[in-house]
Amino acid sequence: MTHTVRTPIVVLISGSGSNMVALVKASRQQQWLRRFGAEVVAVISNRPEAGGLAKACDMGVATQVVDHQQHASREAFDAALQAAISQVGGQTPLLLLAGFMRILTPNFVQAYAGRMLNIHPSLLPAFPGLNTHQRAIDMGCRFAGATVHEVTAELDHGHIWGQAVVPIVPGDDGPALAARVLSQEHRIYVDAVTAWLQAHAV
Ligand code: GRF
């Protein structure tokens, strides 16, 4: 029996794409297509050199590059990105930002309101922005973590769909803590997307 894709998932990346790999694997293992009509139809990167592109290819997922450096303004880049997304995912995809390191314009965010999730490597609302792990260590936090949230016009805000708490241990540095957090990101991103799909089941 074939299943139609009712919710095409488009994953946006900029780098190594380990969260994207976790999402594609889960999509297949957990049969999101059969259960929710949802499938990862494409991975789009704003950087041609992103390591995640080859990983997506290896898993048989279509890839595209929309290079932000080839666009004169943020608005022009977002318009090109939106065109690429529409081509592969139609008008109402689920967009998953997975290590996507671009700030999106309010118009773009509005176009996908409620249908765009991001993973952020801190326990939001603490530590929005960059360099989250070192900032948590420097503040003397005992715990760090990661958050899956809806993308809104305000950076690293929006409804929270999942979180993981990760201990900070004596002697931790930014990279060691980042690696510990990243392994939890893979788990909570999959769980959060499953929950989102369940909540939006059509
Ligand atoms: C993750 O830590 C994510 O939270 C942050 O960038 C990293 C991306 O890792 N925004 P990957 O590309 O998924 O391996």
Side-chain angles (χ1 to χ4, degrees):
M1 181 178 172
T2 52
H3 298 274
T4 30
V5 181
R6 295 187 302 276
T7 304
I9 299 175
V10 179
V11 185
L12 304 186
I13 64 168
S14 301
S16 70
S18 69
N19 277 292
M20 176 274 298
V21 169
L23 290 163
V24 172
K25 284 187 179 161
S27 155
R28 291 171 179 172
Q29 279 161 8
Q30 299 188 11
Q31 303 194 25
W32 285 350
L33 182 57
R34 182 183 61 75
R35 291 165 65 202
F36 309 115
E39 185 171 56
V40 179
V41 294
V43 170
I44 300 178
S45 172
N46 67 306
R47 293 177 61 227
E49 67 277 23
L53 288 168
K55 293 176 189 167
C57 269
D58 288 348
M59 292 187 295
V61 180
T63 61
Q64 272 199 47
V65 174
V66 182
D67 187 347
H68 65 276
Q69 290 187 318
Q70 302 295 322
H71 295 85
S73 66
R74 213 171 266 287
E75 287 72 20
F77 168 72
D78 281 10
L81 183 59
Q82 199 168 344
I85 292 166
S86 301
Q87 214 173 45
V88 290
Q91 296 311 305
T92 54
L94 170 60
L95 278 192
L96 301 178
L97 277 50
F100 183 68
M101 303 303 283
R102 295 287 301 169
I103 293 177
L104 297 160
T105 55
N107 278 347
F108 184 98
V109 172
Q110 183 56 38
Y112 300 104
R115 309 189 65 83
M116 177 160 48
L117 304 181
N118 178 46
I119 184 136
H120 180 77
S122 81
L123 284 173
L124 291 174
F127 305 118
L130 296 174
N131 201 19
T132 53
H133 306 103
Q134 193 58 52
R135 285 159 64 206
I137 292 169
D138 292 346
M139 287 294 288
C141 297
R142 301 304 200 262
F143 295 96
T147 304
V148 179
H149 65 96
E150 263 172 44
V151 178
T152 58
E154 198 173 349
L155 183 69
D156 298 329
H157 277 67
H159 176 79
I160 289 175
W161 280 88
Q163 282 189 312
V165 177
V166 174
I168 296 178
V169 299
D172 251 351
D173 58 13
L177 179 56
R180 200 174 313 118
V181 171
L182 188 61
S183 66
Q184 297 305 305
E185 290 183 30
H186 300 159
R187 182 178 58 78
I188 63 165
Y189 212 169
V190 166
D191 288 350
V193 174
T194 305
W196 189 96
L197 291 169
Q198 257 156 3
H200 294 79
V202 282

